[in-house]
Amino acid sequence: LHNLGNSCYMNSILQCINHIKPITQYFLKGEYLKEVNKNNPLGSGGRIATAYSSFLSDIWTGEFSILAPRLLKQTVSCFAPQFNNNYQHDSQEFCQYLMDGLHEDLNRVKTKPYVEQMEANGMEDSKAAMESWKKHLLRHDSIFVDHTQGMHRSHLTCPSCGKESIKFD
């Protein structure tokens, strides 16, 4: 991938994501077109998904020995303007914006219900994790959830009163 200014942060993430085989095949076969959620207010109306699909098509055809992902960078920059320059950025931050944008463009949940966060007060971890994941799926369901998302356990204790908070996010 050709650097666009200081875009190695972006190129490193694109190299990684385009090697997640089920997601890449989903885009290359055009399957994503059936799931574009153009009405999701948290998405880009499908523009990020379309730009990413175009990028994957270019990279996997073998026609190019070098590729500058300008359209994808410009499209992501429309929704995350901090990337609309030639400065160096954090790879993880770009990864988060790109994958979240792709997820929201392809979210199968058309009407997101309000879901309260759950604390695992006294619950067995496995049960609390399962309940948290079920709640997560009420608002988030895409190929990115299927292949790249998981949860972590957060355990905080107040140093003053000793109250504990255990959550799965």
Side-chain angles (χ1 to χ4, degrees), residues 1-17:
L1 295 175
H2 180 70
N3 267 343
L4 304 169
N6 285 319
S7 65
C8 55
Y9 68 92
M10 176 181 71
N11 291 349
S12 66
I13 294 303
L14 293 176
Q15 296 258 2
C16 290
I17 295 174

Side-chain angles (χ1 to χ4, degrees), residues 118-156:
M118 185 185 106
E119 290 217 22
N121 299 333
M123 290 176 88
E124 194 176 299
D125 277 354
S126 60
K127 183 175 182 194
M130 203 53 131
E131 289 300 314
S132 294
W133 186 248
K134 285 178 186 175
K135 286 185 172 211
H136 178 75
L137 293 177
L138 292 173
R139 295 181 55 87
H140 304 281
D141 181 23
S142 73
I143 190 159
F144 285 87
V145 173
D146 298 343
H147 295 283
T148 66
Q149 288 188 1
M151 302 187 88
H152 69 271
R153 181 181 186 268
S154 169
H155 184 167
L156 301 173

